[in-house]
Structure formats: structure tokens, C-alpha cells
Amino acid sequence: MLLSLKHNFLFVHIAKTGGTSVRATLSKYRYQGPWGVPMFLANKLDQISGHRIGAKFPRHAKAIAAREMLPAELYDGLFKFVFVRNPWDLQVSSFFHIRKERPHVLEGVETFEQFVRLKFDPERPWNYMLDTSRELQRDYVVDLRGNRIVDFIGHYESLQEDFDTICDRIGIPRVALPHRRKAEGRDDFRRYYTDETARMVGEHYREDIEMFGYRFDG
């Protein structure tokens, strides 16, 4: 999550949706304005304390966390935006990312099918690297009653175009997004699925698919 009081925006960062590139581009606006120094000091104190004092929002905090913590008039006045991604594509991206960055998490897992079965095994203990992208994207944009509480939902599939819209809305220059954490050697996501694993992902992310209009074939 990235908050800029000067430019009046809140970026809700869902894992594996292009958010690292968005965050890298917008980070320079984070500490601008009269509240910049207190926010910077709070961030550093939180890091020094091992995140024990809760002085900043976690990287992948949900919108409801900001709504609960910020004054209502401040939250309501922010331009709140998020990016989402086709759930089937997201799982392939997650597989390649973990295999590259944290291979020990996938010890004994050789194929994408094994990855999906491990990830959605209800008997397996929770693991941050596996389960951050197991959460529903829908939960990042709604309150406890299921009401949408963000202003703009961008899509990974139109990342630059939607980011341009965001830049126009918050009054900053348009800029080409860097491509951070690009996966190497991966094919179209559909090629990694069997009928069974496609069904497993579709069932788990049914609410995301309904809310954001995604399909397996497009």
C-alpha cells in the first residue's frame, strides 16, 4: 500500500498484478508535502522496531485496513486505486516467481500441476510465499459487507493504459512503467493447465472472476 497525502492518492497493492512497477514509479511522491517528514520518520521507526509499532501499512494491506485506520474524511477524499489480474494467469506468474526467488518453498515440486495442487491443499499449513496470491483479489477492494471501497480498478492486461488514466486523475505526468520482476521463459498461461487444475483455480477464485469479468479463454 502506498499513500501520498500531497497528491491525494492511495495505491492498494495486490501481489503479482504489476504493482511492483507501479510502486517503483509512484514512490517518489510518497514523502512530498508537509506530512512527508513525519511519514518518513514513522516508516524508519517501524523498520527499526521490526514492525512492532504499526506505524505504516504493510506492503499488501487491503483497502479496508486504510479505511479503518485513517480519518473517514481523509480516506473518502483520497483517490484509491488497485490493479487486478486474471486469476489463472496470476497462478502461473506466482509459480515462476517463487521458483526463481524462493526455490526452497517448492522443494519437491517440479511441475505447475504439482504447484496448483500444493497451493490449494486444505491440509497444508499457511505459507506466506504460496498464499499471498491465494487470497481473493476481491477482498482487497471491498468492506466487510462486500461494498466496493476503491475508486478505480485497473487491470494487469491493460496496465500502462490504466496507469495513464491514474496519472491524469492524480495530476502527475504520464510515464512509461518499468517492467519489474519479469518472468523469463514462460508461455501463454493456458498451456500450463489441465482441465482439472483450471477447474480448481476457477472454483477458488469464483468471486474474483465474477467481479472483474475474467475468463480462462480471454
Side-chain angles (χ1 to χ4, degrees):
M1 186 173 286
L2 189 65
L3 171 66
S4 171
L5 295 178
K6 179 177 180 180
H7 294 275
N8 209 43
F9 71 76
L10 179 72
F11 169 48
V12 179
H13 184 178
I14 301 176
K16 306 308 299 173
T17 61
T20 300
S21 298
V22 173
R23 188 182 187 90
T25 303
L26 295 179
S27 288
K28 64 182 179 182
Y29 298 106
R30 185 177 190 176
Y31 299 127
Q32 293 183 356
W35 291 102
V37 172
M39 290 174 67
F40 175 80
L41 293 175
N43 181 43
K44 291 304 178 184
L45 286 171
D46 197 60
Q47 292 178 14
I48 292 171
S49 71
H51 307 293
R52 289 181 175 87
I53 62 175
K56 70 170 186 175
F57 293 115
R59 185 182 186 90
H60 297 300
K62 298 175 175 64
I64 193 171
R67 186 171 187 184
E68 292 295 321
M69 294 298 295
L70 296 173
E73 64 276 10
L74 173 59
Y75 182 85
D76 291 341
L78 293 168
F79 180 66
K80 302 165 287 290
F81 62 93
V82 64
F83 282 90
V84 297
R85 185 173 186 172
N86 185 310
W88 289 281
D89 186 33
L90 191 149
Q91 301 314 306
V92 176
S93 176
S94 178
F95 172 63
F96 276 90
H97 172 71
I98 296 172
R99 193 165 68 172
K100 177 181 178 182
E101 302 288 338
R102 299 286 191 277
H104 63 277
V105 175
L106 298 182
E107 186 175 355
V109 175
E110 300 296 333
T111 68
F112 178 71
E113 180 176 356
Q114 291 174 325
F115 169 77
V116 171
R117 295 187 182 282
L118 173 67
K119 189 168 191 174
F120 298 105
D121 180 358
E123 302 299 322
R124 177 184 53 79
W126 193 87
N127 180 289
Y128 176 81
M129 284 300 298
L130 279 174
D131 296 322
T132 299
S133 59
R134 192 175 188 266
E135 295 181 304
L136 296 181
Q137 297 173 77
R138 172 189 176 277
D139 291 346
Y140 282 80
V141 305
V142 300
D143 63 15
L144 295 178
R145 295 181 177 85
N147 300 310
R148 174 174 156 176
I149 55 173
V150 300
D151 302 302
F152 183 84
I153 297 176
H155 293 262
Y156 177 84
E157 296 77 16
S158 53
L159 183 62
Q160 184 64 59
E161 179 182 351
D162 290 343
F163 184 70
D164 288 343
T165 299
I166 291 164
C167 290
D168 294 344
R169 177 62 179 79
I170 64 180
I172 64 173
R174 292 186 179 188
V175 62
L177 288 168
H179 199 158
R180 299 294 179 92
R181 296 183 175 179
K182 182 179 180 180
E184 300 292 341
R186 59 159 290 186
D187 206 337
D188 182 283
F189 72 86
R190 299 166 189 82
R191 294 181 177 272
Y192 295 91
Y193 283 92
T194 64
D195 289 345
E196 175 66 11
T197 53
R199 182 193 61 79
M200 291 172 63
V201 171
E203 288 184 356
H204 182 82
Y205 296 99
R206 177 179 53 81
E207 292 180 82
D208 284 355
I209 292 164
E210 292 175 354
M211 185 173 193
F212 305 125
Y214 282 116
R215 298 181 303 169
F216 181 75
D217 59 352

